[in-house]
């Protein structure tokens, strides 16, 4: 009877809980979307930074020309004269997403511009990512943890940094795809449903379309499968979760032009195939174990193991041979730098030169995931209480992503969801423990203001029946539920006993987990305080740190706000004052922006696919004027663009990037040597700088006429007076310098019409009597 | 159309008689040349030379070099198409003209003739130096040649040189061979061998040297042998042409008419080669010969007419260009068998000699290489004496579209068979497994 009443109450409670969590989720979505709008409110609705401009340009092309032309797009305006097959070298997920969004809105008669859609794609998808986090965490630890994790993810600074409005980059949709793929994997693992397995493959396909980071999925999931097998957790659900993903996923991944045969030919994917084979071997073993008597099985095991070892050796030999035969050992440079953090800086300057490929500093952890860093260990602990397939997956996820984030700043983004999930679990568990303690002691408190610790055990049955009311949908409840479900499913496989034991054990543990009231209240207060601190930090990060679009800069000084809009000024000048087919050379950072904003052909851009071409530009920038002119002229360059921050103190200018140009140039053209540009190992531009440095093109183009600004030539970035102040350009002419001198554009002078003779002007000879000579003589004071 | 054009041109010519442009095919007849002289006597002493211009339709404007009214341009427009500096002693020009003015005149594509002399001023030397010709710095030096001087009736003046070492170019010196040697009396100049724009038209014999004929030779002469150039021409990159001669007398009536016998040679010529040499050279300098133009560069796929915006790799294409030469009166088809086109992307991928139809049309067809990128059709035609042709036309080449590959490949049939038999086998297996219990 009591049970019936209880069941009725439970149903009602669940209904209320579901409605409540639905609204909470909507609010989380609104929060995730709106916290990313600071950039639009504080600046304007523009595309940010560098790569988003390329994505924006591609999206424009897609909306204008349709998907087939996009697929076959050969872009002749970048990487002149090589061109770039955009359709085959770009991850199309983001573009297709925004393109279909735009198409959908337009067919609903909502005429938004492509730019608006692109700007708001990232915030929309962060809301999706928050919901996906909810789903994933719910699968792992129940609804409460799910909601907490979703809230935490909605405003984690690391993710905000890549998904503010205007930051139209692959990561914006890829993080959602990543989490959602993981969710579907866990869902399949928990349910053993082939339907979810197929969805999982499709989600994986979307991830492959969106971001090169898909290799993380295709390595992490096999690792988890292997972990399950090793720890004896093999089940048919595991098989269903994994085997279709590999087969369908690989087939689908091979459909994406940029991946193509890489899906089966590069080392990044080998782990998944290896685990696929192992999984089948294990499945076979379990099958044989089922049909054979124990004695026969022993014989079979020895047979299979010996054969298996032989096969494994053969496979390994084949693999090793294949890997060894490829020049980079089958790994792409970026992946190699993941395994060996020092690889890139040692061998590939082009990868090392990108700041987001550098290892992060400790403060950046605190900046990007803030208090989550402290909550993660607690989350890991609660994942082990008890350890399920799903929770072991998130533990594996956090461990690997911590490693990867330590290799590259950029991969902090992969860590962020894992940290959010862990913190969500930790917070939710903590809240449930504390609230349970309070709830348990509340009646006592009302009866008797002096609770006795010894009563805890005696009142357990009451707690047991009442606790669910307080917790509604707490994680503990859910895990208990799943644990109860599992034996039912597993009973077919006759594995009931140990799990029942575990369930009973966990119940006993729970009874013991009642803390003193005061400390519980205090702990809840502290947790709320911690949460508040996190929220404050996140809002600050979203508003101040990560909202600048980097094409418009602002600075606050004593006389108010200064806006530096030099980049757009320069690009507008280029698009209005140069011929359509003119080529503009600059360091590759500005390539995407030049093609997108100025619509001019560039030599190199941010898609650094051809190291030699970049090295050519680097060599030109580090060469003396004449040699640089020859290089640029051979590439039909008409204009050279340099970014110079010395006047206003903009630190990421070309002079600060110059050593990378030297390194990358010198990597291909050995006559460029880095020591020539350094004085005693120091990079300097003052009067102590080396002559090579003072005569190279980058120095000259940056500091040409700079001394005219203040009479001294004081560089406010390097905080020093420049070494060579007065010089003329012989092969270049300045055509445009922006208001704050941040962008300077030079034109290549044409070849001289005539070639002068050898003789110096004969004025030096004593016999001359030229008119100018006469005048000079008259001015001489000694005559 | 042509009629209208000529009327229009005539109108312009009437309205703006003083204004003129650089060498332009439309107005060849009213080309005006400014002649600057040291004194008016040169006008009569060099009358044959000037006459030849006037008979060819040029309009000569004689001025003294120090005439204060000299000006090359008015309201930013040049008044002359050519400038002849027969004023070797002018230390400065009258009016607003100076060294920079002369060089600007050349850089605007107009032609220049400079004649120096024993007493050439710094100004003339500076102009020459700026054009790439270095006169002997010793202002008293002259070219002396003790073996190939011109034998004259009265005395053996070894500074009067008879040279027949012409440049081997029909374009510059005309198709008619100059039989008689050219008599030269003046100063030597040298050219920078690295300078590709300047040509030695008349060089001295190996035994010539440059020294002061009055003084004893104390040190080895600064210039000697065939490195000495007597007459040189420069073709600037904008096709302006410059004639620089170390001798003003070269153009004089006296030397035009005098007979010549080269020392050591038996043959005596009634008339020196000067007149023919100078006249032909002046024709070249004023673009009556050797000026090419290329028009209507066209390319299209074989079998099509419209020029595409982009080619695909392995397309067959046809390329054509029309090249004409200015004959002094009209554009004539230029006939040659060595015009080449490059299909160029950082280096030429295709290099083909164009075949001509003898009417100025050059064409060829070739297959686009199996490389995509932004290519250029390039015609680089630089021949001795001709104006250079540097044409380039950009054209992108794209890879195959996704549906332009072969759908079924013969060599892949085993794989097709494999997958089809796999599917069939799986189907059979499913049926057997499901219903065979």
């Amino acid at each position: 009877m009591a049970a019936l009443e209880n069941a009725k109450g439970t149903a009602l409670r669940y209904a209320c809980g579901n409605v409540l969590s639905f609204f909470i989720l909507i609010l989380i979505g609104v929060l995730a979307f709106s916290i990313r709008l600071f950039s639009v409110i504080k600046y304007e609705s523009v595309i940010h930074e560098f790569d988003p401009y390329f994505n924006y340009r591609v999206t424009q092309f897609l909306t204008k020309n349709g998907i087939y032309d996009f697929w076959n797009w050969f872009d002749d305006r970048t990487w002149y004269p090589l061109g770039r097959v955009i359709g085959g070298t770009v991850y199309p997920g983001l573009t297709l997403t925004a393109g279909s969004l735009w198409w959908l809105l337009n067919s609903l008669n909502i005429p938004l511009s492509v730019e608006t859609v692109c700007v708001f794609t990232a915030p929309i998808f962060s809301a999706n990512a928050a919901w996906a986090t909810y789903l994933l965490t719910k699968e792992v630890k129940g609804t409460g943890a799910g909601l907490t994790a979703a809230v935490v993810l909605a405003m984690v600074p690391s993710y905000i940094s890549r998904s503010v409005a205007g930051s139209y980059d692959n990561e914006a949709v890829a993080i959602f795809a990543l989490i959602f793929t993981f969710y579907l994997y866990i869902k399949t693992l928990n349910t053993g449903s082939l339907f979810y397995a197929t969805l999982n493959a499709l989600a994986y396909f979307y991830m492959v379309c969106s971001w090169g980071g898909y290799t993380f999925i295709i390595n992490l999931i096999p690792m988890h499968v292997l972990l399950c097998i090793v720890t004896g957790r093999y089940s048919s659900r595991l098989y269903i979760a994994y085997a279709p993903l590999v087969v369908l996923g690989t087939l689908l991944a091979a459909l994406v032009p940029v991946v193509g045969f890489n899906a089966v030919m590069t080392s990044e994917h080998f782990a998944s195939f290896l685990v696929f084979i192992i999984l089948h071997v294990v499945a076979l073993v379990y099958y044989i174990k089922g049909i054979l008597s124990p004695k026969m099985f022993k014989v079979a095991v020895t047979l299979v193991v010996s054969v298996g070892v032989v096969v494994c050796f053969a496979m390994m030999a084949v693999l090793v041979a294949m890997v060894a035969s490829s020049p980079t050992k089958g790994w792409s440079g970026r992946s190699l730098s993941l395994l060996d953090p020092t690889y890139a800086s040692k061998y590939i300057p082009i990868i090392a030169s990108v700041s987001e490929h550098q290892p992060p500093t400790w403060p950046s952890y605190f900046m990007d995931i803030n208090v989550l860093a402290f909550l993660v260990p607690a989350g890991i602990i609660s994942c082990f209480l008890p350890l399920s397939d799903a929770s072991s997956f998130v533990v594996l996820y956090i461990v690997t992503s911590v490693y990867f984030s330590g290799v590259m700043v950029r991969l902090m983004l992969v860590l962020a969801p894992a940290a959010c999930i862990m913190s969500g679990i930790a917070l939710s568990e903590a809240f449930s423990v504390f609230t349970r303690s309070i709830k348990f002691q509340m009646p006592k408190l009302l009866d008797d203001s002096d609770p006795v610790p010894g009563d805890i055990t005696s009142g357990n049955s009451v707690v047991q029946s009442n606790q669910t009311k307080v917790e509604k949908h707490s994680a503990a409840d859910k895990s208990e539920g799943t644990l109860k479900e599992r034996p039912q499913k597993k009973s077919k496989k006759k594995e009931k006993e140990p799990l029942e034991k575990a369930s009973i054990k966990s119940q006993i543990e729970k009874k013991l987990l009642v803390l003193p009231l005061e400390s519980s209240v205090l702990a809840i207060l502290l947790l709320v305080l911690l949460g508040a601190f996190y929220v404050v930090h996140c809002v600050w990060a979203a508003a101040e740190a990560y909202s600048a679009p980097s094409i418009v800069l602002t600075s606050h000084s004593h006389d108010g706000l200064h806006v530096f809009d030099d980049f757009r000024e320069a690009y507008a000048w280029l698009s209005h004052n140069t011929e359509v087919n003119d080529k503009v050379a600059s360091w590759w950072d500005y390539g995407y922006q030049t093609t997108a904003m100025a619509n001019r052909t560039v030599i190199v851009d941010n898609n650094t696919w051809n190291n030699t071409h970049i090295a050519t530009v680097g060599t030109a920038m580090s060469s003396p004027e004449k040699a640089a002119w020859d290089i640029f002229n051979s590439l039909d360059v008409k204009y050279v663009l340099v970014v110079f921050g010395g006047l206003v103190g903009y630190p990421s200018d070309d002079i600060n990037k110059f050593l990378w140009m030297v390194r990358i140039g010198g990597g291909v053209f050995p006559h460029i040597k880095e020591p020539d540009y350094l004085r005693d190992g120091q990079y300097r531009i003052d009067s102590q700088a080396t002559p090579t440095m003072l005569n190279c093109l980058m120095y000259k183009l940056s500091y040409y006429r700079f001394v005219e600004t203040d009479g001294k030539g004081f560089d406010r970035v390097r905080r020093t007076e420049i070494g060579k102040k007065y010089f003329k350009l012989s092969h270049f002419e300045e055509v445009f310098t922006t208001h704050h001198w941040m962008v300077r554009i030079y034109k290549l002078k044409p070849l001289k019409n005539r070639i002068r003779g050898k003789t110096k002007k004969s004025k030096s000879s004593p016999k001359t009597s030229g008119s100018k000579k006469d005048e000079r003589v008259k001015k001489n004071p000694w005559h | 159309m042509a009629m209208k054009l000529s009327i229009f041109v005539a109108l312009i010519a009437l309205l703006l008689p003083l204004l003129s442009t650089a060498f332009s095919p439309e107005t060849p007849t009213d080309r005006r040349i400014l002649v600057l002289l040291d004194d008016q006597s040169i006008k009569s002493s060099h009358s044959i030379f000037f006459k030849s211009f006037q008979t060819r339709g040029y309009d000569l404007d004689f001025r003294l070099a120090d005439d204060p009214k000299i000006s090359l341009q008015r309201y930013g427009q040049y008044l002359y198409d050519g400038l002849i500096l027969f004023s070797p002693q002018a230390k400065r020009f009258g009016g607003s003209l100076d060294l920079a003015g002369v060089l600007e005149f050349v850089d605007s594509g107009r032609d220049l003739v400079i004649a120096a002399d024993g007493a050439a001023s710094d100004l003339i030397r500076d102009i020459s130096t700026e054009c790439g010709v270095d006169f002997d710095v010793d202002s008293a030096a002259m070219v002396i040649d003790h073996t190939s001087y011109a034998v004259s009736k009265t005395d053996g003046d070894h500074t009067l040189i008879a040279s027949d070492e012409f440049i081997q170019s029909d374009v510059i010196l005309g198709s008619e061979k100059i039989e008689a040697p050219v008599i030269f009396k003046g100063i030597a100049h040298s050219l920078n061998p690295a300078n590709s724009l300047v040509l030695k038209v008349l060089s001295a014999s190996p035994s010539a040297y440059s020294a002061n004929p009055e003084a004893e030779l104390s040190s080895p002469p600064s210039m000697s042998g065939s490195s000495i150039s007597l007459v040189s021409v420069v073709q600037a990159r904008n096709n302006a042409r410059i004639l620089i001669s170390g001798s003003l007398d070269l153009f004089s009536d006296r030397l035009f008419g005098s007979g010549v016998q080269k020392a050591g040679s038996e043959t005596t010529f009634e008339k020196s080669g000067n007149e023919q040499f100078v006249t032909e050279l002046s024709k070249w300098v004023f673009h009556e010969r050797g000026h090419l133009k290329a028009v209507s560069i066209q390319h299209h796929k074989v079998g099509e007419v419209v020029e595409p915006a982009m080619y695909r790799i392995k397309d067959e294409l046809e390329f054509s260009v029309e090249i004409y030469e200015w004959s002094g009166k009209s554009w004539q088809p230029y006939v040659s068998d060595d015009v080449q086109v490059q299909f160029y992307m950082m280096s030429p991928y295709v290099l083909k000699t164009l075949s001509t139809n003898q009417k100025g049309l050059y064409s060829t067809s070739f297959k686009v290489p199996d490389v995509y990128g932004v290519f250029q059709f390039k015609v680089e035609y630089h021949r001795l004496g001709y104006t250079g042709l540097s044409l380039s036309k950009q054209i992108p080449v794209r890879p195959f579209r996704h549906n332009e590959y072969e759908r079924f490949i013969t060599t892949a049939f085993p794989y097709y068979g494999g997958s089809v038999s796999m599917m069939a086998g799986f189907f059979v297996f499913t049926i057997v497994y499901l219903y065979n219990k």
Side-chain angles (χ1 to χ4, degrees), chain A residues 29 54 88 117 213 231 269 304 381 384 391 446 468 503 555 632 689 719:
Chain A
F54 169 75
V117 174
T231 54
H269 305 81
V304 166
I381 290 170
F384 278 95
S391 63
L446 293 175
T468 41
S503 131
S555 89
F632 281 143
R719 310 210 150 275

Side-chain angles (χ1 to χ4, degrees), chain B residues 49 56 163-167 169 172-174 176-184 200-203 229-233 243-245 247 250-251 256 271-285 289:
Chain B
F49 176 67
R56 287 186 349 245
S163 172
D164 51 5
E165 303 201 9
F166 305 114
I167 190 170
S169 167
I172 295 175
L173 292 181
E176 201 178 319
K177 194 172 180 294
I178 302 170
E179 300 286 344
V182 169
I183 310 173
F184 179 94
K200 218 182 269 184
V201 180
L202 184 68
S203 46
S229 175
L230 305 175
V231 178
S232 300
V233 291
L243 167 64
I244 297 172
S245 159
S247 159
L250 183 78
F251 305 91
F256 275 18
K271 199 166 169 285
S272 72
N274 284 31
E275 183 171 2
Q276 193 191 349
F277 175 73
V278 165
T279 311
E280 293 298 326
L281 203 53
S282 72
K283 281 184 187 170
W284 183 83
V285 168
R289 230 181 1 243

Side-chain angles (χ1 to χ4, degrees), chain A residues 68-69 71-72 74-78 80-85 581 583 601 613 634-636 751-763 765 767-772 774-775, chain B residues 91-92 99 103 106-107 122 125-126 129-134 137-139 191-193 195-197 236-238 242 310 344-346 372-374 376 394 396-402:
Chain A
Y68 281 105
D69 277 344
W71 184 2
N72 292 302
F74 173 71
D75 187 7
D76 57 344
R77 300 191 75 78
T78 57
Y80 181 86
L82 307 168
R84 178 182 170 196
V85 187
N581 279 327
K583 283 87 192 166
T601 310
H613 222 51
S634 74
L635 291 168
D636 300 327
L751 275 177
K752 277 201 177 132
N753 192 33
R754 297 162 279 107
I755 300 175
R756 280 196 73 235
K758 274 184 291 189
T759 342
K760 293 272 170 270
K761 292 216 167 165
S762 48
K763 272 163 198 156
S765 80
K767 285 173 217 161
T768 52
S769 49
S771 55
K772 283 180 185 170
D774 290 348
E775 280 163 22
Chain B
K91 291 193 177 66
R92 69 170 84 171
L99 170 66
L103 296 175
V106 171
D107 290 345
D122 283 343
R125 285 164 184 271
D126 286 347
T129 305
E130 288 294 335
C131 298
V133 165
D134 301 315
V137 283
D138 184 357
S139 57
L191 311 176
N192 181 357
N195 187 342
S196 57
L197 302 177
R237 288 206 169 88
N238 64 355
I242 303 161
M310 191 181 263
Y344 182 92
M345 180 177 79
M346 295 206 277
Y372 56 80
V374 184
Q376 284 172 321
Q394 182 176 315
V397 172
R398 63 170 172 83
F400 285 115
R401 290 175 64 91
H402 68 278

Side-chain angles (χ1 to χ4, degrees), chain A residues 38-115:
Chain A
F38 276 111
S39 61
V40 174
I41 293 160
K42 289 185 71 179
Y43 295 89
E44 55 187 300
S45 174
V46 282
I47 308 283
H48 289 196
E49 295 196 310
F50 305 105
D51 287 25
Y53 269 95
F54 169 75
N55 296 326
Y56 169 50
R57 179 162 165 259
V58 174
T59 314
Q60 275 182 318
F61 186 89
L62 172 72
T63 52
K64 209 178 287 171
N65 298 298
I67 186 158
Y68 281 105
D69 277 344
F70 164 56
W71 184 2
N72 292 302
W73 186 15
F74 173 71
D75 187 7
D76 57 344
R77 300 191 75 78
T78 57
W79 290 95
Y80 181 86
L82 307 168
R84 178 182 170 196
V85 187
I86 300 255
T89 57
V90 80
Y91 286 100
L94 175 75
T95 316
L96 292 177
T97 308
S100 8
L101 215 58
W102 178 84
W103 175 83
L104 192 74
L105 289 170
N106 268 265
S107 44
L108 293 175
N109 287 327
I110 305 173
L112 288 179
S113 70
V114 179
E115 191 184 3

